[in-house]
Amino acid sequence: MNDTHIQTISRELSLKPYHVSAVAKLLDEGATVPFISRYRKEATGTMDEVKVAGVRDRLGELAELDKRREAILTSLQERDLLTDDLKSAIERARDKAQLEDIYLPHRPKRKTRASMAKERGLEPLANILMAQKGADPKAEARKYVNPAKDVPDVAAALAGARDILAERISENAKARAAMRTLFVKRGRFMSKMVKGKEEEGATYRDWFDWDEPLVRVPGHRALAMFRGENEKVLKLSLRPPEEEAAGLLKRSVVRGHGPDAREVGAAMEDCYKRLLGPSLENEVRGEVKKRADTEAIKVFAANLRELLLAAPLGQKRVLALDPGFRTGAKLTVLDAQGALKEYDTIFPVGSKGQQAGAAETLKKLCAKYDIEAIAIGNGTAGRETEAFVRELGLNIPVVLVNEAGASIYSASEVARKEFPDLDLTVRGSASIGRRLMDPLAELVKIDPKSIGVGQYQHDVDQAALKKSLDDVVESCVNSVGVDLNTASAELLAYVSGLGPVLAGNIVGHRDENGPFDSRRELLKVKRLGPKAFEQAAGFLRVQGKEVLDASAVHPERYKLVKQMAKDAGCTVADLMADEAARSRVNVESYVSEEVGLPTLRDIMAELAKPGRDPRAEFTVFSFAEGVNDIKDVHEGMKLPGIVTNVTKFGAFVDIGVHRDGLVHISQLADKFVRDPAEVVAAGREVEVTVIGVDMKRGRINLSMKKV
């Protein structure tokens, strides 16, 4: 464990060093973020998942910095360039930019104009000019004219010397640091349209002539403009005003007004134009992109969390429909555990004869299986199918289900294993029904990027996006808890300490030996040892002879709970069922070196509501009748809707017309809104007012203002 890293993280994240140290130690021992935040609160000072993950990520970044530092030191050592002063400077460098600035003059280079000038013997001339002591450049340059060395005249000698100076200025750590600060603080984010791209790049017309301070450009706009540049529609510049950059660099390197100083000035101008300017602009681009990626990924993650934690219908018998016009609606019947009982194809939006047949089939199946809810995919023909089903008067809840990603699931290896003999469209219908029953259990089978709750997901850093979304899925799965005897391998894989291999082994053991009677039986699973058991057990639920197995109380605390029950004069079951029994427990009397008040309070809260699902209660939502297409939408309408996506510039709302409308951030509330996430979240039900419809572009503008 690196004490310097502990101190750095403690300072940066405003955490106690010993809490950071405890997290680092637990992570080194193989503990997961959910386990640490849930079951090791005393050690971490009750850090939540966000803080624990922050410590984990920063530890990783500092380890990477150390790795790069070591590689640089090794390279310098091997080339006999490592001096005590250089080593000390490298070891003191606190970030990557500073480290690379120190290394830059010593980095192995391909041939450059400066290196070729040095080979022609012009470095002494460059040194004379850089000294700026009033030397006559031409007179000095004559001494280095040598056609044999490809220095035919004075002009060539001076040009070579200026090339050496330009590279030297560019590699000066102090000058680079000052210029970097100028780029960050005074840089402008400017874009121009590439000539002849007016029509092809119409999407980017707002940025055909754009100029704003770099520090103020929001992430979503930066990503959009970077995309426009990649598509060769926009030409971007991320630099400070030219005169400010030139002035700062001149003050850093030019001393005096003599002819030698003028040569240095010319080298400086070449340096900025050819070397330093492009280099720092690339750095700034990287930082802006990283900042924009972080913002976009954070929004994506928040939206995903809301969708994964959407209210589940629960274990109900469901009839699911994946609608379509020409090909009809694929129908599946699922039992309360999500198992497929029957499937068919009906045509609820076909001819009168087809509709009559569809009605008969629906009524028959609903009666045969005592259906408790009907799930309809919200894609093509979804609203028309919903209207048809409602008109049948079945007295069964009808729910439009967001089918984003269902087609991805249908073609996946997971779907092929679950339904090897079924058509893709039938698999999609079953997925829609299961998604209504338990969104979390079904959505974990799909790549989170395919769920459709983010923006610019293909533009951001893919590794960072995957890591963040995986963290969200893991967090949601473990906060809800998983039934050990019904969960799929895909769901179990996200349980703390398991992963795909152990999840597959658990399902295999279950298939071979029948349901688990207790958590302790997990230790019989192939390759699942004590460490994996410790990490996973508290997040798994088993309805068996041990009542605590159905709760979030960790097995390591069963003995403590049994002692509480004994002291209260009752059984553990009584303690869980009777508030009066729990009131007789004085938690403070059970504080020990191992267990503190945070854990004891968690235990008591869990005993009060053992295994409680933290998700909201399910309610049936209905779109406005008669509003099925954008043609039905008119300015002034007040409509119910569901938030499908939240961005930094507003929220997209599904109003049931196959086109999400946009509520701009300025229309989210009657008060000023700094961040849309303050007032809306993906999956929330809202009422909106239509304030504009652009039929040509297929755009609907909405407002949530009351006034």
Side-chain angles (χ1 to χ4, degrees), residues 110-400:
R110 291 174 293 182
K111 271 200 170 184
T112 64
R113 282 164 50 170
S115 66
M116 289 187 287
K118 288 176 183 176
E119 288 172 5
R120 299 200 302 272
L122 295 172
E123 189 164 21
L125 176 59
N127 293 338
I128 292 168
L129 297 176
M130 193 64 192
Q132 301 175 71
K133 293 182 177 179
D136 181 347
K138 290 183 179 179
E140 295 294 337
R142 285 191 193 97
K143 302 173 186 176
Y144 296 90
V145 172
N146 186 344
K149 287 190 173 183
D150 197 23
V151 186
D153 51 34
V154 167
L158 289 173
R162 288 195 299 270
D163 286 342
I164 294 169
L165 291 177
E167 186 170 276
R168 190 179 295 177
I169 295 166
S170 176
E171 293 177 349
N172 182 285
K174 191 174 179 181
R176 286 185 75 88
M179 289 293 287
R180 183 180 291 113
T181 300
L182 180 71
F183 266 68
V184 171
K185 291 185 175 179
R186 296 285 297 151
R188 310 290 302 182
F189 199 115
M190 296 179 286
S191 73
K192 296 284 185 186
M193 180 197 71
V194 173
K195 192 174 180 181
K197 296 284 186 175
E198 294 92 339
E199 290 188 20
E200 184 183 333
T203 306
Y204 304 100
R205 68 163 63 96
D206 290 345
W207 305 302
F208 280 177
D209 188 12
W210 189 265
D211 183 354
E212 73 177 313
L214 198 59
V215 292
R216 290 221 307 262
V217 63
H220 62 84
R221 183 149 64 234
L223 289 174
M225 293 165 81
F226 283 139
R227 182 187 289 179
E229 184 181 48
N230 289 336
E231 293 177 6
K232 296 181 170 49
V233 173
L234 301 177
K235 186 175 181 180
L236 304 184
S237 170
L238 287 75
R239 294 198 183 195
E242 197 83 11
E243 63 278 5
E244 290 188 37
L248 176 60
L249 197 54
K250 186 175 181 179
R251 290 192 296 276
S252 299
V253 299
V254 179
R255 299 183 298 278
H257 304 282
D260 49 357
R262 287 196 290 274
E263 290 293 330
V264 175
M268 177 215 76
E269 290 174 5
D270 175 50
C271 164
Y272 182 70
K273 182 179 179 181
R274 182 170 57 85
L275 301 173
L276 189 54
S279 173
L280 290 177
E281 183 172 11
N282 283 338
E283 270 191 38
V284 168
R285 276 173 173 266
E287 286 303 311
V288 171
K289 176 68 164 54
K290 184 178 178 182
R291 189 179 75 213
D293 283 1
T294 300
E295 181 184 293
I297 290 170
K298 187 177 178 181
V299 171
F300 198 147
N303 288 339
L304 178 63
R305 180 178 293 277
E306 291 291 335
L307 193 62
L308 292 176
L309 294 180
L313 175 67
Q315 293 188 330
K316 307 283 186 183
R317 294 175 296 280
V318 171
L319 185 150
L321 292 166
D322 186 1
F325 285 114
R326 185 178 56 82
T327 56
K330 304 302 177 184
L331 177 156
T332 52
V333 176
L334 307 171
D335 67 15
Q337 285 70 48
L340 181 68
K341 307 303 291 183
E342 193 168 329
Y343 65 92
D344 202 345
T345 300
I346 61 174
F347 292 83
V349 291
S351 65
K352 285 189 177 181
Q354 288 175 321
Q355 288 184 335
E360 185 180 344
T361 299
L362 285 169
K363 289 175 181 177
K364 177 183 170 185
L365 291 174
C366 286
K368 178 181 177 181
Y369 292 101
D370 194 16
I371 294 298
E372 297 172 275
I374 296 175
I376 301 173
N378 70 341
T380 304
R383 289 305 310 280
E384 292 80 0
T385 302
E386 178 200 21
F388 172 82
V389 174
R390 288 188 186 282
E391 287 172 5
L392 297 178
L394 297 170
N395 293 320
I396 299 171
V398 179
V399 185
L400 269 181

Side-chain angles (χ1 to χ4, degrees), residues 482-489 492 498 501-528 533 536-537 540-546 549-550:
V482 173
D483 188 320
L484 182 58
N485 285 319
T486 61
S488 66
L492 286 166
L498 294 184
V501 173
L502 289 180
N505 291 350
I506 288 171
V507 173
H509 185 279
R510 196 172 67 197
D511 291 343
E512 189 175 331
N513 301 285
F516 289 89
D517 288 330
S518 69
R519 284 170 167 167
R520 187 58 56 183
E521 277 192 39
L522 275 169
L523 290 168
K524 296 179 181 178
V525 173
K526 182 181 176 183
R527 295 177 63 181
L528 200 155
F533 178 82
L540 296 167
R541 309 282 180 264
V542 182
Q543 302 293 336
K545 54 192 176 185
E546 171 56 76
D549 279 352

Side-chain angles (χ1 to χ4, degrees), residues 541 547 550-552 576 605-613:
R541 309 282 180 264
V547 291
S551 75
M576 296 168 80
E606 187 60 27
L607 293 176
K609 295 180 179 178
R612 181 179 67 88
D613 192 323

Side-chain angles (χ1 to χ4, degrees), residues 561-591:
V561 175
K562 289 173 182 176
Q563 185 62 50
M564 288 178 174
K566 183 179 178 182
D567 294 346
C570 64
T571 66
V572 172
D574 293 335
L575 205 58
M576 296 168 80
D578 186 0
E579 186 178 349
R582 291 193 300 276
S583 69
R584 295 197 295 271
V585 176
N586 177 16
V587 293
E588 293 181 359
S589 65
Y590 296 95
V591 173

